[in-house]
Amino acid sequence: MQTSFPAVVISGTGLYQPPHVITNAELVAAFNTYADQQNALHADAIARGERQPLTHSSVEFIEKASGIKQRYVIEKDGVLDPARMYPRFAPRGDDELSLMAEIAVDAAGKALAQAGKTGADIDAVLCSSANMQRAYPAMAVEIQQALGAGGYGFDMNVACSSATFALEQAFNAVRTGASKCVLVVNPEITSAHLEWRDRDCHFIFGDVCTAVIVERADAATGPDQWEILGTQLATQFSSNIRNNFGFMNRAEDRDPNARDLTFYQEGRKVFKEVVPMAAAHIEAHLAKLGLEPTHMRRFWLHQANQGMNQLVIKKLVGGEAGSEVAPLILDEYANTASAGSIIAFHHHRGDLKAGDAGVICSFGAGYSIGSVVVKKR
């Protein structure tokens, strides 16, 4: 006898947008000053051929490589200080709300308002992010308390796929009856783990937080409901995107500022390997649901690279597709790790009509790929 599951919907999304903008021009000016200072400092070693000089960045290079034009950050001055080149956050006491929880509560409040819910309606909080502020206690439990939610909360990390992986957990929890109304939050303070002193990646990330409400359709009262038709996750190990920072670093007796303790990647390898994986993943997921890529009104894809997204869509629909099919938000927000596809969904779904379907898909380190197929009710 086949079990019948209730319909599950996304009934609200929320977005926290940081107060500061860093344009490509500002970022390039700071980086080039840093590069000049380092080249002057190590001039003798460079002259002897023992060290390679740092190369200038440029606005043209950034936009051609990524499509990014600016990014939002929580703190700007530290990032643009050539003597520092990373944000400056004020420490908070253990009795104060943490920074990650603060931005998650902001985004969650907006999602709750859109769904017509309050914190008391939530019985599960999933905090899914590429980088957690601390190991424990779980950020999700702190967010749960701040919102007055019940049930339980836990953290999870699948790098840039964290949001879609969490949405599957929320979907399954609701349809099996384990939870009634789940909050998924994706606080991404990427400015703290980006290597702003590396020309190849100094422009990639921005800060943000997204929130999504997942609940039973028969309990949803919000005006904008998207039924989740299915979810699919996949992972395949690769070290081409990596960050080795963690609690074991101090036991290794090495440089605490070592390059591998911030974000680094083999960008060309990632592009070549992930694009076909992502396209094949989406195609297979849709086939399992009896759908074709050309049936989809919209693809809300991970926002890492403009060229990557265009190639994924080309493989899926067999031709070029503009912002109507695959909206881009990374020109304004940059890569926001797990939050990118959710920002695209948040900003670019209002024009779709009842019955229209689309795919939320993220892909990143791991490698990891998560897809969520939704239909407007």
Side-chain angles (χ1 to χ4, degrees):
M1 182 177 177
Q2 188 173 9
T3 302
S4 178
F5 292 110
V8 178
V9 298
I10 292 173
S11 57
T13 59
L15 173 67
Y16 163 79
Q17 182 178 294
H20 304 291
V21 171
I22 297 179
T23 66
N24 285 348
E26 291 176 298
L27 194 62
V28 165
F31 177 85
N32 289 350
T33 299
Y34 164 78
D36 290 342
Q37 291 175 351
Q38 290 297 303
N39 289 341
L41 181 64
H42 300 286
D44 291 343
I46 292 171
R48 292 192 299 268
E50 298 171 357
R51 184 185 182 100
Q52 292 297 314
L54 296 180
T55 304
H56 276 191
S57 185
S58 72
V59 170
E60 295 74 20
F61 160 69
I62 293 172
E63 292 191 13
K64 182 178 180 180
S66 66
I68 296 169
K69 296 181 179 180
Q70 63 164 56
R71 70 282 302 144
Y72 295 99
V73 291
I74 293 172
E75 199 281 329
K76 179 176 181 175
D77 293 342
V79 172
L80 296 181
D81 180 356
R84 183 179 176 89
M85 301 291 280
Y86 54 90
R88 184 179 288 104
F89 298 144
R92 300 187 181 192
D94 290 348
D95 58 344
E96 297 180 273
L97 190 67
S98 65
L99 179 57
M100 185 171 275
E102 180 181 290
I103 67 174
V105 168
D106 181 284
K110 295 167 183 172
L112 288 166
Q114 190 177 98
K117 302 292 182 183
T118 68
D121 295 314
I122 300 298
D123 60 357
V125 177
L126 310 185
C127 181
S128 53
S129 171
N131 286 270
M132 290 298 168
Q133 181 170 341
R134 61 171 182 264
Y136 48 80
M139 301 303 308
V141 179
E142 182 180 11
I143 296 162
Q144 174 194 21
Q145 180 186 52
L147 291 171
Y152 64 92
F154 65 84
D155 295 345
M156 57 182 293
N157 179 349
V158 202
C160 290
S161 297
S162 294
T164 50
F165 274 60
L167 283 174
E168 176 171 279
Q169 312 317 307
F171 172 59
N172 287 336
V174 172
R175 70 173 181 157
T176 60
S179 302
K180 294 180 180 179
C181 189
V182 180
L183 168 67
V184 174
V185 286
N186 318 110
E188 293 290 6
I189 308 178
T190 61
S191 60
H193 83 100
L194 177 59
E195 183 48 83
W196 298 94
R197 297 168 293 190
D198 186 330
R199 178 182 179 272
D200 289 338
C201 70
H202 77 114
F203 53 87
I204 290 180
F205 288 108
D207 297 333
V208 81
C209 183
T210 51
V212 179
I213 305 296
V214 178
E215 60 178 324
R216 286 177 59 123
D218 58 15
T221 58
D224 186 38
Q225 299 176 25
W226 293 79
E227 183 176 356
I228 298 176
L229 302 181
T231 62
Q232 183 163 292
L233 312 178
T235 54
Q236 178 181 308
F237 185 74
S238 170
S239 282
N240 287 333
I241 312 172
R242 197 171 179 106
N243 182 333
N244 287 330
F245 182 79
F247 68 92
M248 293 179 66
N249 296 150
R250 70 171 187 166
E252 296 171 344
D253 297 328
R254 63 189 184 106
D255 181 5
N257 295 313
R259 178 64 187 89
D260 69 318
L261 301 185
T262 49
F263 167 85
Y264 70 103
Q265 69 171 353
E266 295 285 344
R268 290 180 179 84
K269 290 182 180 178
V270 172
F271 192 106
K272 182 179 179 181
E273 294 170 4
V274 170
V275 166
M277 287 174 60
H281 176 95
I282 294 172
E283 188 172 34
H285 187 190
L286 291 174
K288 186 187 298 184
L289 297 171
L291 300 170
E292 296 285 342
T294 52
H295 294 165
M296 298 297 100
R297 281 279 283 111
R298 195 146 295 162
F299 292 87
W300 299 282
L301 298 181
H302 176 52
Q303 302 286 313
N305 181 283
Q306 182 176 5
M308 179 179 285
N309 284 12
Q310 289 174 342
L311 193 50
V312 169
I313 292 298
K314 187 174 183 179
K315 286 179 176 291
L316 287 170
V317 303
E320 299 296 334
S323 59
E324 170 66 18
V325 175
L328 197 74
I329 57 91
L330 90 160
D331 56 339
E332 177 183 356
Y333 289 88
N335 184 339
T336 50
S338 71
S341 58
I342 307 302
I343 300 174
F345 179 68
H346 176 79
H347 279 314
H348 296 284
R349 70 176 191 266
D351 61 320
L352 270 61
K353 299 177 175 59
D356 286 343
V359 181
I360 303 169
C361 183
S362 56
F363 31 89
Y367 294 128
S368 56
I369 303 174
S371 54
V372 181
V373 181
V374 296
K375 181 177 71 173
K376 171 77 172 178
R377 288 171 66 90

